[in-house]
Amino acid sequence: MTSTIDPNTIGKPVRPRRHVRTLTGYLPEKDEEGRDKWPKGEEKVWKDGMRSLDKDVNDITRSFVNHVQTSLARQPYNIDDLGAYHAAALSTRDNLLVNWNDTQLTYTRKAPKRAYYLSLEFLMGRTLDNALLNLGLKDEYKQGVRKLGFNIEDILEQERDAGLGNGGLGRLAACYLDSSASQELPVWGYGLRYKYGIFQQLISPSGDQLEAPDPWLDNQNPWELPRLDVTYQIRFYGHADRLDDGTGRALWQGGQEVLAQAYDVMIPGYGTRSTNNLRLWESKPKRGFDLNSFNAGNYEGAVESSNSAQAITSVLYPNDHTWKGVEIEAAVVRVLVSGKGAMAYSVISFWTAASLADILRRFKNLNKHIREFPDYVAIQLNDTHPTLAIPELMRILIDEEDLSWDAAWSIVTNVFFYTNHTVLPEALEKWPVPLLEHVLPRHMQIIYDIVYLLPMKPRRAMLIQCAILAVEKKFPGDRDRLSRMSLIEEGIPKQVRMAHLACIGSRKVNGVAELHSELVRTTILKDFVEFEGISKFGNVTNGITPRRWLDQCNPELSALISKTLKLDKSVWLKDLTKLEGLLPFTEDKAFRDEWAAIKQRNKERLAHYVQTTLGLTIRTDAMFDVQIKRIHEYKRQTLNILGVIHRYFTLKNMSAEEKKKVNPRVVFFAGKAAPAYFIAKLTIRLIVNVARVINSDPDTKDYLQLYFLPDYSVSLAEVLIPASDISQHISTAGTEASGTSNMKFCLNGGLLLGTVDGANIEIAEEVGESNVFFFGHLTPAVEDLRYQHLYHPIPIEQKCPALAHVINQVAAGVFGDGHVYEPLLNTIRQSDYYLLTDDFDSYIAALAMVDEAYLDKDEWAKKSIRTTAKMGKFSSDRAINEYAESYWNIEPVIVEKA
């Protein structure tokens, strides 16, 4: 005899899903008097063996040496800086885990409402320095590793940036997790454990961007904790068969199942024991794969398809520009769509399904009825990427929890909250219906049900969630409105409007700056505002954590602030409005001199970094002008480089005496272009080749230098930002949702040059317009100008002679083969969608104002101090508290000792 299996059962889901507790989150049983019962063994022996925080130097060195011996299997004779980093990291992680365990036990005991932050990116940066700061152990570790023969700065440099994001969206998510823990709020993050992060950027001899893999996990990640007991089976493909019982339920079966395994990253709060969690999912093949999903008897094909499941979390989504095509493979359907990322539907489904399964399992541990789910859970959608969570939760509630459609939809629309990060039309994701039907047939059914109510009874026509009928009832006969608001955009192929789905499926919607939120309400979601009411649509201006973006990256300035305010940094780092106490010191000459001296040393630090990494010599007695962002047309790095070229030719035409009056300037660019974004990559090539000419020209090199710093990262930003005198945030008005790098520069005393856009407006309101440099047309004029470009164009030579001269010089080959740049130059000559011809003269005038202001170094120092002093509004602590109070309705939880 042998065991047998019915082939007809392979690939069919098991209903209902079995609830299994993980190995964490248990509470002790109680005795007759209500006291905790010790679960096993001798209580005293257990408690004597349980460790507490290592707080003194001897305990730290003992822990360090222990990890060298037992975790790394090395000896003092063969331990290098990299090994020392791993030992220090593992030792620090031990401390984090003590607090993490107590935090989770406290949450389990108190059962508070929790918030979950779903973001496809978490750009965490280096962790060791941040963890030591938040634990309050930087000095102790510094002393301890010195006793062991190491320098803490050398150890910190060994850490690689985690490859979990590519831009501001991911960095914002990281700041919010840090602030949530620091504010003692029960918030978890959910993301993906990419094996290869955003690519390593290299520059070819011709100036082209080259992309190399970024295997950031090659040296292991000491900060993650594999959770072998936390796995979920995620289904793709197959077919969904409706049940003929009038409930709207369906049975989704067949296709392929992939395992999601959890990896936990501890997120410590600053000055508190609260330690939250970032749970990352890795895809793995299911050993018992579905043979019926593949060619019967084709075992090799089955194995190949099963193993390809691992590819789902292999690479951070690679492209963020345009349609490139459709590639369908057995395990990964990658559709390069417009928006912030090239969406692999399998990636999104995998991530959202695993996260929701985990959230639901944790809720079930409370032994509450499923209808109470919104009382204990809030889920924040960080942009439109996680919108698929809405139909996924509907699927779980209807198909697995046996709820009615009305009950399920009521839960969904009270659990989700949606943050919109863009008003750019091409960035509002649209997913082709045919591919969605292929990859996620049940989800597509549910989306159609939301739109058309296919399985519902006639009474549903009176409910507001009846998408088509509800709109028709409120606006009878308005077919254009019906078309605009539909979740399905007609065309070939039909497409699902994910931003619309996120809007109608969420309790509240917010933008990330006052101007952006107003544009959301009056443009892309105007119809929904009129339909559902203004109260659903709010604003939470972005924020940054001052721990990393001042204290860690600019320790000298942090120390000066603490000394001047006569406050321990633990006070003002958690209440950034305390910085206003610096304002009276703007009139203190000694304080201004010390402030300026710190800025100068930060410039020298940046120059040293460039010298040691790139072999380039940078003068430090000049103004440092910095633009560091993802390379994109709307961010207008092209405007900046064309302005640099204009400055170069202006210098070339000056006499020697005139040049002596010039303000020397060093211009820095850094940022990555999406691999398929041709125009953005041309911009990088132009910057690199202009730098070659300018930096080698004896007539100008003493007055103007230009550098492109490759492979931009959080760690590089931490060196660039404190060194800046001026930073550029020059997007076309109405295109930048908020920005956070503008906040980081200003917090470090760098002045802002920018358009009246995004959070630039609110920064100016806080610091005073006399301390910022604005230029360019305003948002209300943008559409009219674009209309004029299309229907009443004016030649550039007539409209903007200065810009025409610059473009003609580039085309003539002054900076290399001019023909190469024709596609880039034609975006300006022809449609000029981002209004470079309209804003160029104003931009050059603003740069001249910057030069004039910088010549008065004393007044410039005053502007710098005032700017830092008024940045209290832009702390991520403030922003996360707004989410907690006005959106999620969660409260702080004080962590208790277990």
Side-chain angles (χ1 to χ4, degrees):
M1 289 294 292
T2 185
S3 60
T4 62
I5 186 171
D6 181 355
N8 293 323
T9 66
I10 298 175
K12 290 188 176 181
V14 178
R15 294 191 64 256
R17 178 181 295 171
R18 188 166 61 96
H19 175 232
V20 180
R21 294 187 73 106
T22 65
L23 299 180
T24 59
Y26 282 88
L27 286 175
E29 295 179 1
K30 303 289 185 180
D31 61 18
E32 294 79 4
E33 298 178 2
R35 294 174 301 190
D36 290 350
K37 291 172 60 178
W38 193 254
K40 60 182 66 178
E42 297 182 28
E43 182 176 353
K44 182 179 185 305
V45 176
W46 269 97
K47 288 189 172 179
D48 287 346
M50 294 180 73
R51 58 165 293 157
S52 57
L53 293 179
D54 291 331
K55 291 186 176 180
D56 63 53
V57 173
N58 288 337
D59 287 340
I60 287 168
T61 55
R62 187 178 301 110
S63 173
F64 182 103
V65 172
N66 176 67
H67 279 294
V68 169
Q69 283 185 290
T70 61
S71 300
L72 306 181
R74 296 173 76 171
Q75 295 286 347
Y77 312 106
N78 62 357
I79 188 78
D80 56 7
D81 283 345
L82 179 59
Y85 158 70
H86 278 283
L90 291 169
S91 170
T92 304
R93 192 186 79 166
D94 288 346
N95 277 333
L96 296 182
L97 283 169
V98 171
N99 286 342
W100 188 94
N101 277 316
D102 287 347
T103 301
Q104 307 320 309
L105 186 59
T106 298
Y107 290 169
T108 303
R109 286 182 189 276
K110 296 186 176 182
K113 183 177 183 180
R114 300 194 196 192
Y116 298 97
Y117 199 82
L118 269 60
S119 180
L120 202 55
E121 298 182 37
F122 286 94
L123 199 59
M124 305 304 292
R126 292 172 174 170
T127 299
L128 178 55
D129 193 34
N130 184 72
L132 292 177
L133 171 68
N134 285 6
L135 287 167
L137 294 174
K138 287 186 75 169
D139 289 341
E140 288 79 4
Y141 267 80
K142 187 174 183 177
Q143 295 175 45
V145 299
R146 186 189 301 123
K147 285 187 172 185
L148 294 167
F150 295 97
N151 182 293
I152 191 66
E153 286 77 17
D154 294 336
I155 289 177
L156 294 175
E157 283 298 314
Q158 298 301 311
E159 183 173 359
R160 293 184 66 166
D161 283 33
L164 300 174
N166 81 24
L169 186 81
R171 186 54 231 169
L172 178 73
C175 283
Y176 282 172
L177 290 189
D178 181 283
S179 286
S180 295
S182 298
Q183 298 298 307
E184 299 178 309
L185 295 168
V187 178
W188 273 33
Y190 278 101
L192 289 169
R193 183 180 183 263
Y194 304 105
K195 296 185 182 73
Y196 294 88
I198 184 65
F199 59 85
Q200 180 186 6
Q201 182 190 53
L202 306 171
I203 304 299
S204 76
S206 63
D208 289 313
Q209 171 183 285
L210 304 176
E211 300 91 25
D214 176 27
W216 71 283
L217 289 170
D218 274 5
N219 290 328
Q220 297 185 323
N221 177 15
W223 302 107
E224 66 183 13
L225 189 68
R227 290 292 186 189
L228 300 180
D229 60 311
V230 182
T231 60
Y232 299 97
Q233 297 178 15
I234 311 302
R235 186 178 301 278
F236 305 111
Y237 314 112
H239 51 92
D241 301 319
R242 290 189 183 275
L243 302 183
D244 189 20
D245 57 5
T247 63
R249 284 174 49 212
L251 188 63
W252 183 16
Q253 55 190 334
Q256 180 190 16
E257 288 182 314
V258 174
L259 288 182
Q261 182 186 322
Y263 286 76
D264 286 347
V265 179
M266 285 63 70
I267 307 295
Y270 177 70
T272 173
R273 298 191 67 240
S274 178
T275 303
N276 286 334
N277 198 52
L278 168 60
R279 179 155 284 179
L280 304 173
W281 300 108
E282 180 178 87
S283 60
K284 296 191 174 182
K286 181 183 176 185
R287 184 170 54 185
F289 49 79
D290 173 16
L291 295 177
N292 283 351
S293 301
F294 310 104
N295 295 326
N298 182 4
Y299 179 75
E300 290 182 359
V303 170
E304 180 182 355
S305 295
S306 181
N307 287 340
S308 67
Q310 297 180 59
I312 291 176
T313 54
S314 288
V315 184
L316 177 67
Y317 56 88
N319 190 10
D320 68 347
H321 179 50
T322 56
W323 280 89
K324 183 178 176 65
V326 176
E327 177 187 1
I328 301 179
E329 296 179 355
V332 180
V333 176
R334 179 164 293 152
V335 182
L336 303 183
V337 298
S338 56
K340 291 187 181 296
M343 294 294 95
Y345 292 171
S346 50
V347 171
I348 302 297
S349 175
F350 172 85
W351 163 49
T352 54
S355 301
L356 283 174
D358 200 51
I359 293 168
L360 202 65
R361 174 197 55 76
R362 191 171 300 108
F363 167 77
K364 287 191 172 185
N365 288 346
L366 302 175
N367 295 316
K368 303 292 183 180
H369 193 279
I370 190 65
R371 293 177 185 271
E372 298 179 82
F373 194 59
D375 297 331
Y376 291 88
V377 171
I379 302 173
Q380 188 70 39
L381 308 177
N382 191 29
D383 215 358
T384 49
H385 304 144
T387 301
L388 202 61
I390 291 172
E392 170 64 10
L393 184 55
M394 285 294 291
R395 183 193 70 79
I396 293 171
L397 295 175
I398 294 170
D399 295 352
E400 298 184 10
E401 299 296 329
D402 293 330
L403 290 185
S404 68
W405 177 279
D406 287 349
W409 187 250
S410 176
I411 289 172
V412 165
T413 52
N414 280 287
V415 162
F416 288 107
F417 300 83
Y418 166 48
T419 298
N420 174 280
H421 283 276
T422 183
V423 294
L424 294 178
E426 68 270 19
L428 297 174
E429 294 166 23
K430 298 175 185 178
W431 291 17
V433 168
L435 274 166
L436 199 51
E437 288 176 326
H438 176 65
V439 183
L440 302 167
R442 179 58 179 138
H443 296 71
M444 195 62 241
Q445 281 183 353
I446 290 171
I447 291 170
Y448 272 128
D449 289 349
I450 294 171
V451 179
Y452 301 115
L453 309 172
L454 293 179
M456 300 301 111
K457 298 177 181 179
R459 67 181 181 84
R460 294 268 300 132
M462 300 303 294
L463 300 179
I464 194 168
Q465 57 262 44
C466 308
I468 292 293
L469 295 177
V471 174
E472 170 63 23
K473 183 175 184 294
K474 188 166 185 176
F475 303 100
D478 193 340
R479 296 181 181 178
D480 287 342
R481 185 184 296 269
L482 281 172
S483 176
R484 292 194 306 267
M485 293 182 68
S486 175
L487 298 187
I488 308 297
E489 182 178 282
E490 298 298 327
I492 303 176
K494 292 181 179 181
Q495 298 186 88
V496 180
R497 293 164 167 158
M498 301 306 284
H500 289 193
L501 179 58
C503 179
I504 69 169
S506 297
R507 182 173 180 179
K508 285 192 175 183
V509 178
N510 72 279
V512 290
E514 289 176 3
L515 174 63
H516 170 242
S517 296
E518 180 62 20
L519 289 172
V520 168
R521 290 190 290 263
T522 58
T523 58
I524 60 172
L525 297 180
K526 177 183 178 182
D527 291 319
F528 293 93
V529 173
E530 294 175 355
F531 178 67
E532 300 193 60
I534 192 69
S535 61
K536 178 173 177 174
F537 300 85
N539 172 68
V540 180
T541 298
N542 284 345
I544 58 173
T545 168
R547 271 81 65 182
R548 182 180 291 273
W549 294 111
L550 179 52
D551 185 69
Q552 285 178 249
C553 71
N554 202 345
E556 280 196 78
L557 187 61
S558 177
L560 176 62
I561 291 171
S562 294
K563 182 180 75 172
T564 305
L565 297 178
K566 295 182 172 57
L567 289 173
D568 188 271
K569 68 181 180 182
S570 63
V571 176
W572 62 265
L573 282 177
K574 293 190 79 169
D575 181 4
L576 209 55
T577 60
K578 299 287 187 188
L579 292 180
E580 290 193 19
L582 296 173
L583 288 173
F585 294 91
T586 56
E587 302 304 321
D588 184 329
K589 180 68 165 62
F591 178 74
R592 292 199 303 271
D593 289 346
E594 194 168 358
W595 187 277
I598 291 172
K599 177 67 70 175
Q600 181 61 32
R601 288 193 287 275
N602 284 328
K603 290 182 178 181
E604 291 164 1
R605 180 178 65 158
L606 173 58
H608 176 73
Y609 170 86
V610 174
Q611 174 67 50
T612 56
T613 58
L614 302 179
L616 302 174
T617 301
I618 294 177
R619 60 180 304 170
T620 59
D621 59 344
M623 168 187 280
F624 277 20
D625 177 342
V626 183
Q627 186 181 21
I628 48 175
K629 296 177 182 290
R630 181 168 52 95
I631 310 297
H632 196 290
E633 288 171 274
Y634 89 84
K635 294 181 183 289
R636 298 206 294 191
Q637 286 93 348
T638 306
L639 177 63
N640 190 344
I641 188 57
L642 295 176
V644 171
I645 296 171
H646 177 272
R647 186 181 188 88
Y648 169 66
F649 286 126
T650 302
L651 285 168
K652 291 282 285 183
N653 291 327
M654 284 183 176
S655 66
E657 286 301 312
E658 288 173 322
K659 288 177 183 175
K660 290 179 181 178
K661 301 176 183 178
V662 167
N663 170 42
R665 185 184 295 243
V666 181
V667 180
F668 296 93
F669 286 87
K672 297 180 181 181
Y677 196 166
F678 179 61
I679 296 300
K681 295 176 82 168
L682 273 183
T683 302
I684 293 175
R685 177 169 177 153
L686 180 60
I687 294 168
V688 172
N689 285 300
V690 169
R692 285 198 179 104
V693 173
I694 289 178
N695 295 348
S696 61
D697 190 328
D699 293 337
T700 61
K701 65 180 182 179
D702 290 336
Y703 307 97
L704 179 63
Q705 291 182 338
L706 171 63
Y707 298 94
F708 184 88
L709 305 185
D711 208 30
Y712 180 53
S713 64
V714 173
S715 298
L716 177 54
E718 290 172 0
V719 180
L720 274 163
I721 288 171
S724 76
D725 292 302
I726 195 81
S727 64
Q728 299 205 24
H729 311 274
I730 57 177
S731 56
T732 309
T735 59
E736 182 69 82
S738 171
T740 52
S741 66
N742 46 8
M743 303 169 189
K744 296 163 191 168
F745 281 104
C746 291
L747 184 60
N748 284 272
L751 273 56
L752 185 153
L753 168 67
T755 47
V756 185
D757 195 30
N760 289 356
I761 299 170
E762 291 164 71
I763 291 173
E765 290 172 350
E766 294 296 312
V767 308
E769 288 197 22
S770 62
N771 297 307
V772 301
F773 301 90
F774 275 147
F775 75 95
H777 286 83
L778 303 181
T779 300
V782 169
E783 288 307 315
D784 286 340
L785 290 169
R786 286 172 176 163
Y787 176 86
Q788 294 296 326
H789 292 177
L790 286 174
Y791 298 105
H792 305 286
I794 300 173
I796 297 180
E797 288 75 11
Q798 178 182 340
K799 185 177 184 180
C800 187
L803 178 59
H805 174 69
V806 170
I807 288 176
N808 291 338
Q809 292 298 308
V810 174
V814 174
F815 306 103
D817 186 354
H819 294 291
V820 171
Y821 301 111
E822 283 299 307
L824 173 63
L825 302 179
N826 284 337
T827 64
I828 306 170
R829 292 171 177 146
Q830 295 170 6
S831 64
D832 190 21
Y833 186 79
Y834 294 106
L835 311 188
L836 275 70
T837 57
D838 300 281
D839 285 352
F840 188 78
D841 288 340
S842 176
Y843 176 60
I844 296 302
L847 289 170
M849 292 172 60
V850 171
D851 285 330
E852 183 179 357
Y854 191 71
L855 292 175
D856 185 346
K857 297 295 194 296
D858 209 41
E859 182 60 32
W860 186 275
K862 291 181 181 181
K863 290 179 180 289
S864 175
I865 295 165
R866 292 189 199 110
T867 298
T868 296
K870 296 295 290 184
M871 290 302 291
K873 172 181 177 178
F874 303 101
S875 168
S876 54
D877 294 347
R878 181 270 313 159
I880 208 66
N881 279 323
E882 284 189 34
Y883 279 110
E885 295 169 8
S886 302
Y887 291 76
W888 305 332
N889 192 28
I890 64 171
E891 297 180 348
V893 177
I894 306 302
V895 174
E896 301 171 350
K897 180 66 179 174

